[in-house]
Amino acid sequence: MAQGFIESLDNKEELEDTGQNYIDELVRRSFLQYEGGEAYKMHDLVHDLAEYVAGSECLTVKRTNSKVNPNKVRHVSFDSSSYGELPRPLIEAKKLRTILFPSKRQSTFGSSVETIISSFRCLRVVNFNNPDIEDNHGQRFNFLSKNVVNLKHLRYLNMKYCYGMQTLPKGFGNSLLYLQYLNLYGSALCELPEDFGKLINLRFLGLSSMLSCLPEKQIGGLTSLQELQLYDSFELTALGEGIGKLTCLRKLEIKLCPMLTSLPLGMRYLPALEHLKISYCFALKFSEDNDLQGLRRLKSLTLVDLPRLVSLPKGLQDAADTLNQLKLRSCENLTTVSEFVLPCLTSLQGLEIYNCPNLLSLPKDMQHLTELHCLSIKGCKHLSRRCEKGIGEHPGVQTLEERISL
């Protein structure tokens, strides 16, 4: 997508969906093999064919004296086991579009990149995992703070595991107007720049920070955002009402934000939200009536290790016509899934309840869940006995025909 290879013939279809359709078709035709999660494997023969077709446009640097045709190379990756410096001829590759840096680098790497990275003005993709490294003099090198604002055509920037990075460079939002993907997982940002909200083309944001609240202006300006991942934000106590302006948001994941106490009212203004996952937020307490209201397109909900979760919020009823997957895991104080909520979720196809030891029963009206074909209950000592097939107390559970795991 960052290279402009994906085009939607249907203006109503998102580019992410079009791209996934491409991948699915390649899997069906055996060009790719699905490995699980987001991983795919290419057969050696297909890889050789792809390399042959790409010719000199794609280069894998395996040693410092690799042959480089600077006039033709467009996409570069590095062999992490042997790479130490950028090959000198690569400096002349002014039309470079992609650069995938190795995760393991020698100490000479920082200075060589710092010298030349800003000269690649046509770059669209930069994958620079674990960028904070030390040079021979023990100085920290941070690619992002010194060079990224010069890459005006950048679409994809992965700075995952950029531990210790506390600020983004001045002019970040004003300069990277075409940016679509930004991953800052593992950072320690103390603030977001004033112009961050000008990233109007941003579709994915992964963020770790030391912020106590997400700033409304900066977050609310990301009007094209499709997916937001908030990880390892140990000072975050509130998401802020700016999140309610993300009307295109389809996926929201909140993980390991132990100080987060509540969800904002703006959550109800996310008309496109389809997937919500919240995990390891130990202080989060749901409002019985207001939380999860208005999410009328929600398809999947996963709640993991939320010790203050006692029952499912009544607001989840708004997703009755769309919710097909519900997963509840390691919620030690969950006592009820509510007779006012669960039986209303008539589109539910899969229900998982793991390690919820205080959950005593399921609602009596489980038979209303006519679409439910997969019920999995584990680590719930009271519930497992009462739902045992053939002798349990829940007739709605006993009538499930396909698979019951207790």
Side-chain angles (χ1 to χ4, degrees), residues 5-6 17-35 39-43 46-47 49-50:
F5 296 149
I6 298 177
D17 295 332
T18 303
Q20 188 59 52
N21 290 337
Y22 289 173
I23 295 294
D24 293 342
E25 183 64 22
L26 291 172
V27 171
R28 282 193 292 269
R29 294 175 181 268
S30 299
F31 287 100
L32 294 177
Q33 179 180 337
Y34 182 58
E35 295 283 291
Y40 295 85
K41 182 179 180 180
M42 184 183 292
H43 191 280
V46 179
H47 182 266
L49 176 62

Side-chain angles (χ1 to χ4, degrees), residues 24 120 136 171 204 210 218 259 264 277-278 348-349 364:
D24 293 342
F120 299 139
N136 290 328
F204 174 95
M210 300 301 291
Q218 288 88 325
M259 301 295 290
K277 182 175 182 179
I278 306 176
L348 203 63
Q349 298 176 15
K364 295 180 180 180

Side-chain angles (χ1 to χ4, degrees), residues 70-339:
N71 296 321
K72 293 185 177 181
V73 66
R74 296 291 183 272
H75 313 285
V76 173
S77 61
F78 298 86
D79 186 303
S80 60
S81 63
S82 60
Y83 175 66
E85 294 183 347
L86 290 171
R88 288 187 176 275
L90 191 60
I91 299 175
E92 304 301 322
K94 301 301 182 183
K95 296 182 179 180
L96 198 64
R97 295 290 191 93
T98 303
I99 185 164
L100 308 178
F101 291 109
S103 57
K104 296 180 180 180
R105 300 180 281 272
Q106 297 180 16
S107 58
T108 56
F109 181 81
S111 58
S112 63
V113 173
E114 185 176 3
T115 303
I116 69 167
I117 191 67
S118 60
S119 66
F120 299 139
R121 297 300 178 91
C122 294
L123 273 176
R124 292 194 174 199
V125 175
V126 174
N127 190 336
F128 205 75
N129 281 344
N130 194 22
D132 290 327
I133 56 178
E134 294 184 359
D135 61 19
N136 290 328
H137 303 288
Q139 299 296 315
R140 301 294 290 180
F141 165 74
N142 190 334
F143 156 81
L144 184 59
S145 64
K146 296 185 178 181
N147 301 281
V148 73
V149 293
N150 296 317
L151 307 178
K152 307 294 185 181
H153 298 284
L154 200 62
R155 265 73 166 175
Y156 180 104
L157 178 60
N158 184 6
M159 302 294 292
K160 195 174 182 180
Y161 307 127
C162 46
Y163 299 118
M165 186 176 67
Q166 297 183 343
T167 60
L168 294 174
K170 185 178 180 180
F172 187 87
N174 285 321
S175 300
L176 304 181
L177 297 178
Y178 297 110
L179 196 63
Q180 297 174 337
Y181 180 102
L182 175 62
N183 195 345
L184 299 172
Y185 170 66
S187 67
L189 294 176
C190 297
E191 61 179 359
L192 293 178
E194 284 289 324
D195 59 2
F196 192 82
K198 294 184 178 180
L199 298 174
I200 57 174
N201 290 301
L202 198 66
R203 303 175 74 89
F204 174 95
L205 174 62
L207 180 64
S208 300
S209 75
M210 300 301 291
L211 296 166
S212 60
C213 180
L214 298 181
E216 182 173 352
K217 179 182 177 181
Q218 288 88 325
I219 295 298
L222 308 178
T223 52
S224 295
L225 203 64
Q226 300 277 315
E227 182 171 355
L228 174 61
Q229 295 182 358
L230 301 172
Y231 287 168
D232 298 11
S233 296
F234 300 102
E235 303 296 327
L236 190 68
T237 60
L239 298 183
E241 294 302 327
I243 199 170
K245 298 179 181 179
L246 306 181
T247 56
C248 292
L249 195 68
R250 299 170 67 191
K251 296 181 180 180
L252 174 61
E253 182 170 358
I254 307 169
K255 181 178 180 180
L256 201 57
C257 299
M259 301 295 290
L260 183 66
T261 58
S262 63
L263 298 178
L265 292 176
M267 286 278 290
R268 68 181 65 183
Y269 304 119
L270 301 179
L273 192 66
E274 297 178 351
H275 306 282
L276 174 61
K277 182 175 182 179
I278 306 176
S279 54
Y280 309 109
C281 296
F282 309 125
L284 181 62
K285 184 177 182 180
F286 283 91
S287 167
E288 183 178 352
D289 296 320
N290 296 326
D291 280 337
L292 306 184
Q293 263 187 344
L295 304 181
R296 303 184 189 279
R297 293 183 61 180
L298 194 66
K299 295 180 179 179
S300 70
L301 174 63
T302 301
L303 304 176
V304 180
D305 208 342
L306 305 179
R308 300 194 67 181
L309 178 67
V310 177
S311 65
L312 291 179
K314 292 180 182 179
L316 192 57
Q317 294 174 334
D318 287 348
D321 295 332
T322 58
L323 191 69
N324 54 57
Q325 296 293 328
L326 176 60
K327 299 179 181 180
L328 306 171
R329 299 177 177 174
S330 300
C331 296
E332 59 187 39
N333 293 312
L334 182 69
T335 58
T336 176
V337 287
S338 178
E339 61 182 7

